[in-house]
Amino acid sequence: MQRFFIADLHLNENEPEITAGFLHFLQSLPAHCELYILGDLFDYWIGDDITSALQQEVAKQLNELSKRDIQNYFIHGNRDFLLGKHFAPVSAMKLLSEIFVINNHQENIVILHGDLLCIDDQAYQKFRKKMHNRWLQRLFLLLPRYFRQKIANKMRNKSSQYNQYKAESIMDVNQNAVEEMMTKYQASIMIHGHTHRPATHYFDIADKPSQRIVLGAWHDGINYIKQDESGKITLVQNGNEKRVK
Ligand code: LP5
Ligand code: MN
């Protein structure tokens, strides 16, 4: 099975070139493959009842993939964690749990958005916990659209404000958290996004060669990971292919 992984497109109306690039990418996918979207497909998501023309177009194009026998999977990001049960069927999307394991040629690949691993960013982890409270989410979704939009804008502004003062190292993943998770899921490969730092990190866990492959964000160009039928993995950034496994 051929698999493609993407994350952090942050699709929005102000950057139509990213949406165009994404739709072109969908067209270029080979038949019978799998597409894994590892969160932050949209800049933010404030309820399945509020969908813009852009979101509807994306849903339609994702849905069209099924005609070529391509299944698309989605893991929530920290921007679109409210994307829900109503939008998923419209885009023929299968929603996965926040941590998911793919078994490939007798080896486990653990996939996730990546924010869970940023445990040194304690302010964010506290905030995340609140945002993932079911009751708070339900309450939020009951609010009039206008208020939801206002709250989301406020959060986005505050977030960029806070991020200016956070050290780069704090906003990256914690290596212990990475190794703990990979050990728990008996995985030798991890794929995630969120940090916008595309790279492959090689290390040993209990003498076993392991690797963590980080997806890049799409404001830097088209970024994805491709895994072919033989298990070979390639990181593609702006047309430059780099074999990583
Ligand atoms: O997203 P990014 O890359 O800028 O930064 C993230 C972390 N920030 C976030 C916040 C999102 O950007 C906001 C998304 C809005 C979603 C829609 C609204 C849904 C509401 C649902 C309610 C149940 O995730 C940032 C990390 C960074 O990644 C790197 O990992 O550092 O974390 C923060 O900035 C969190 C702050 O440190 C602490 C919290 C400040 C929030 C203040 C909110 C005030 C809102 C008041 C509204 C009345
Ligand atoms: Mn993110």
Side-chain angles (χ1 to χ4, degrees), residues 144-228:
R145 295 167 183 219
Y146 166 77
F147 282 122
R148 278 185 266 164
Q149 188 67 59
K150 234 182 146 154
I151 292 171
N153 290 343
K154 182 112 188 153
M155 283 179 176
R156 289 289 312 114
N157 289 337
K158 284 270 175 220
S159 179
S160 341
Q161 227 172 300
Y162 283 104
N163 287 2
Q164 283 174 12
Y165 302 106
K166 281 184 193 170
E168 286 288 303
S169 58
I170 283 187
M171 289 196 286
D172 203 354
V173 302
N174 173 294
Q175 183 64 18
N176 289 334
V178 168
E179 294 185 17
E180 231 171 74
M181 190 178 288
M182 292 180 75
T183 305
K184 180 173 175 190
Y185 294 100
Q186 299 179 317
S188 53
I189 300 175
M190 172 182 269
I191 297 178
H192 71 81
H194 182 67
T195 58
H196 304 186
R197 302 176 200 205
T200 307
H201 303 270
Y202 298 90
F203 45 92
D204 286 354
I205 302 180
D207 293 331
K208 192 170 173 218
S210 307
Q211 66 193 103
R212 174 171 70 90
I213 314 169
V214 189
L215 284 157
W218 280 48
H219 56 245
D220 296 326
I222 292 177
N223 273 291
Y224 62 95
I225 287 170
K226 179 170 76 177
Q227 183 197 41
D228 70 15

Side-chain angles (χ1 to χ4, degrees), residues 8 40 78 113 194:
D8 301 297
D40 289 358
N78 59 300
H113 178 57
H194 182 67

Side-chain angles (χ1 to χ4, degrees), residues 2-245:
Q2 230 183 331
R3 299 188 176 94
F4 291 81
F5 302 86
I6 53 173
D8 301 297
L9 290 88
H10 300 278
L11 298 177
N12 70 90
E13 277 78 12
N14 300 323
E15 292 171 300
E17 66 287 356
I18 301 182
T19 309
F22 175 55
L23 298 181
H24 183 259
F25 168 76
L26 293 182
Q27 296 286 333
S28 70
L29 289 174
H32 318 295
C33 72
E34 291 179 341
L35 172 65
Y36 290 85
I37 305 168
L38 306 188
D40 289 358
L41 173 61
F42 296 106
D43 210 22
Y44 59 84
W45 194 268
I46 51 176
D48 287 5
D49 59 327
I50 308 179
T51 48
S52 62
L54 180 153
Q55 288 160 343
Q56 285 168 26
E57 177 62 14
V58 168
K60 188 171 158 242
Q61 297 302 329
L62 284 171
N63 197 307
E64 295 270 308
L65 293 178
S66 45
K67 289 188 184 153
R68 285 183 282 139
D69 186 29
I70 302 171
Q71 177 63 57
N72 81 92
Y73 298 91
F74 184 79
I75 293 183
H76 293 104
N78 59 300
R79 305 281 195 91
D80 48 18
F81 58 88
L82 284 178
L83 190 150
K85 290 191 191 92
H86 297 286
F87 186 78
V90 182
S91 36
M93 181 182 260
K94 277 192 186 159
L95 296 179
L96 302 179
S97 52
E98 62 184 7
I99 304 167
F100 189 77
V101 179
I102 298 171
N103 188 268
N104 177 67
H105 297 272
Q106 275 92 47
E107 83 185 334
N108 283 345
I109 304 177
V110 63
I111 59 173
L112 69 163
H113 178 57
D115 55 328
L116 262 176
L117 299 164
C118 301
I119 58 169
D120 296 324
D121 191 346
Q122 292 176 1
Y124 170 66
Q125 292 301 333
K126 261 193 201 158
F127 173 73
R128 185 182 195 278
K129 219 173 191 168
K130 280 187 203 137
M131 292 299 104
H132 283 251
N133 179 297
R134 278 281 152 90
W135 294 105
L136 193 65
Q137 291 186 357
R138 277 189 198 175
L139 207 67
F140 177 80
L141 292 172
L142 288 173
L143 294 174
R145 295 167 183 219
Y146 166 77
F147 282 122
R148 278 185 266 164
Q149 188 67 59
K150 234 182 146 154
I151 292 171
N153 290 343
K154 182 112 188 153
M155 283 179 176
R156 289 289 312 114
N157 289 337
K158 284 270 175 220
S159 179
S160 341
Q161 227 172 300
Y162 283 104
N163 287 2
Q164 283 174 12
Y165 302 106
K166 281 184 193 170
E168 286 288 303
S169 58
I170 283 187
M171 289 196 286
D172 203 354
V173 302
N174 173 294
Q175 183 64 18
N176 289 334
V178 168
E179 294 185 17
E180 231 171 74
M181 190 178 288
M182 292 180 75
T183 305
K184 180 173 175 190
Y185 294 100
Q186 299 179 317
S188 53
I189 300 175
M190 172 182 269
I191 297 178
H192 71 81
H194 182 67
T195 58
H196 304 186
R197 302 176 200 205
T200 307
H201 303 270
Y202 298 90
F203 45 92
D204 286 354
I205 302 180
D207 293 331
K208 192 170 173 218
S210 307
Q211 66 193 103
R212 174 171 70 90
I213 314 169
V214 189
L215 284 157
W218 280 48
H219 56 245
D220 296 326
I222 292 177
N223 273 291
Y224 62 95
I225 287 170
K226 179 170 76 177
Q227 183 197 41
D228 70 15
E229 291 88 349
S230 66
K232 189 180 100 183
I233 299 179
T234 314
L235 182 61
V236 186
Q237 287 175 267
N238 263 323
N240 295 318
E241 301 205 0
K242 198 167 160 195
R243 178 155 178 201
V244 292
K245 190 185 178 294

